[in-house]
Amino acid sequence: MLMDYEGFKKAIYELTGIDLGSYKEKQMKRRLDSLINRNNYSDYEQYVNALKTDARLYNEFINYMTINVSEFYRNPEQWENLKNLILPALFETTKTLKVWSAACSSGDEPYTLVMILNEFLPLRSIKVIATDIDKEILCKAKNGIYNEKSVGNLPKEYINKYFNSKDNMYEIKEEVKNCVEFKHHNLLSDVYPQECDLIVCRNVLIYFTEEAKVNIYKKFNKSLKTGGILFVGSTEQIIMYNNYNFRTFQTFFYKKDRDL
Ligand SMILES: C[S@@+](CC[C@H](N)C(=O)[O-])C[C@H]1O[C@@H](n2cnc3c(N)ncnc32)[C@H](O)[C@@H]1O
């Protein structure tokens, strides 16, 4: 009997540790079916077998399913709010911040965080933990080289201050790279960093099922200090934020009131 999508999800979990069942099915299945067709495989089982031996195919699969689109200063008005409203409020009670950029993709987001934090702190006092499930994209993030489009939204003074540019490419300066610790991390199954003052997790929860999201919000509550802030993406407002002991601080920013 041919392997169906259920069997495929099981086989992928065994092979990669990634639970496709936690991602919205219609969207994910459509993407993966088109990838599989494009590689000229006609059924799931053949494709899974090929993934076991073909590193190019395996990396392509991980890349494709994870959707790595990112850019610096994505949705500028929210970063302005972070700079002008959220960080000043957080710095009222502490001198340093523990910051986690979850699902950081190519590093645009954690490096943006460093630039904004540098308005308040010297670079040597800034540490951002940045995590993603995709090991290849983490290598790109550590390399820190970007095209013009990636930095298109970033204020010019940040581009001049934090990059070396050559031939329309932009390389993050070493002293900014040193502020970010990149780590492999699966939001669905790994232990979360603790005692965070700020968690930035944007444009990944949209891909997850409701059930997976509920678990992640609960884990974010545990990860944050009381009074800590969760910064989400523009299409990711948390409807039942009370359920996780969050309250709205600003649109797209939630403050933890107490432990669950
Ligand atoms: C669309 S990007 C968002 C990047 C960035 N946060 C932003 O908003 O620009 C989604 C990222 O989520 C990561 N991702 C997908 N599933 C994940 C999981 N289970 N755990 C951690 N990261 C995951 C992908 O590898 C990808 O880099």
Side-chain angles (χ1 to χ4, degrees):
M1 203 177 73
L2 281 181
M3 183 186 268
D4 59 9
Y5 193 64
E6 285 308 307
F8 179 64
K9 285 193 284 191
K10 234 175 115 206
I12 290 298
Y13 184 67
E14 278 159 20
L15 186 65
T16 67
I18 297 173
D19 176 15
L20 287 176
S22 294
Y23 292 77
K24 283 182 192 155
E25 176 143 333
K26 221 168 117 190
Q27 196 180 344
M28 184 57 86
K29 185 170 180 303
R30 186 166 16 91
R31 279 180 72 76
L32 293 180
D33 284 348
S34 98
L35 176 70
I36 292 168
N37 282 334
R38 204 170 350 115
N39 278 292
N40 297 320
Y41 289 94
S42 51
D43 72 72
Y44 290 130
E45 192 160 8
Q46 269 182 17
Y47 180 70
V48 170
N49 285 336
L51 288 182
K52 289 179 188 159
T53 54
D54 184 336
R56 184 205 64 81
L57 207 64
Y58 181 91
N59 289 333
E60 182 195 48
F61 168 78
I62 300 286
N63 255 314
Y64 198 74
M65 70 134 301
T66 50
I67 314 169
N68 298 128
V69 186
S70 192
E71 63 190 47
F72 285 81
Y73 226 65
R74 189 174 187 176
N75 311 113
E77 64 289 1
Q78 290 158 34
W79 291 101
E80 295 286 323
N81 281 341
L82 179 75
K83 183 168 75 182
N84 298 325
L85 303 170
I86 309 296
L87 290 178
L90 285 171
F91 279 119
E92 271 175 21
T93 54
T94 173
K95 284 206 174 77
T96 54
L97 295 181
K98 183 164 178 182
V99 180
W100 176 24
S101 168
C104 66
S105 188
S106 39
D108 315 35
E109 190 173 83
Y111 290 136
T112 300
L113 275 163
V114 172
M115 295 172 200
I116 292 180
L117 286 164
N118 193 210
E119 304 273 355
F120 301 83
L121 295 171
L123 287 175
R124 71 185 133 72
S125 308
I126 299 174
K127 188 53 79 196
V128 174
I129 304 164
T131 62
D132 201 278
I133 197 173
D134 183 346
K135 289 183 181 150
E136 264 199 13
I137 208 72
L138 287 171
C139 287
K140 180 165 188 255
K142 283 181 206 163
N143 252 345
I145 300 173
Y146 300 91
N147 61 22
E148 205 153 16
K149 186 166 174 284
S150 296
V151 298
N153 273 330
L154 205 55
K156 284 282 166 295
E157 65 267 25
Y158 283 3
I159 298 186
N160 296 335
K161 191 167 171 191
Y162 297 113
F163 293 85
N164 296 314
S165 64
K166 200 176 159 202
D167 302 332
N168 291 335
M169 294 303 282
Y170 297 80
E171 179 170 14
I172 283 279
K173 287 190 176 166
E174 214 50 37
E175 60 261 38
V176 178
K177 281 190 198 171
N178 291 340
C179 298
V180 183
E181 186 187 356
F182 288 102
K183 287 186 199 169
H184 179 251
H185 182 272
N186 183 347
L187 280 165
L188 296 166
S189 56
D190 288 334
V191 174
Y192 284 22
Q194 295 296 304
E195 293 289 299
C196 296
D197 296 284
L198 173 66
I199 298 175
V200 180
C201 183
R202 306 174 72 218
N203 306 304
V204 63
L205 296 192
I206 32 161
Y207 302 117
F208 292 145
T209 61
E210 285 310 308
E211 197 188 344
K213 278 195 256 189
V214 165
N215 284 328
I216 290 175
Y217 293 140
K218 286 183 185 159
K219 290 203 253 179
F220 280 153
N221 172 294
K222 290 209 169 72
S223 257
L224 284 166
K225 288 181 190 159
T226 298
I229 298 285
L230 171 64
F231 176 13
V232 301
S234 298
T235 54
E236 297 176 318
Q237 273 160 292
I238 310 174
I239 315 291
M240 309 284 273
Y241 54 86
N242 284 329
N243 288 357
Y244 314 102
N245 294 344
F246 288 131
R247 83 183 126 95
T248 313
F249 193 71
Q250 269 287 309
T251 323
F252 311 117
F253 294 91
Y254 297 90
K255 185 173 188 154
K256 172 176 164 178
D257 266 337
R258 57 188 189 285
D259 288 336
L260 273 176

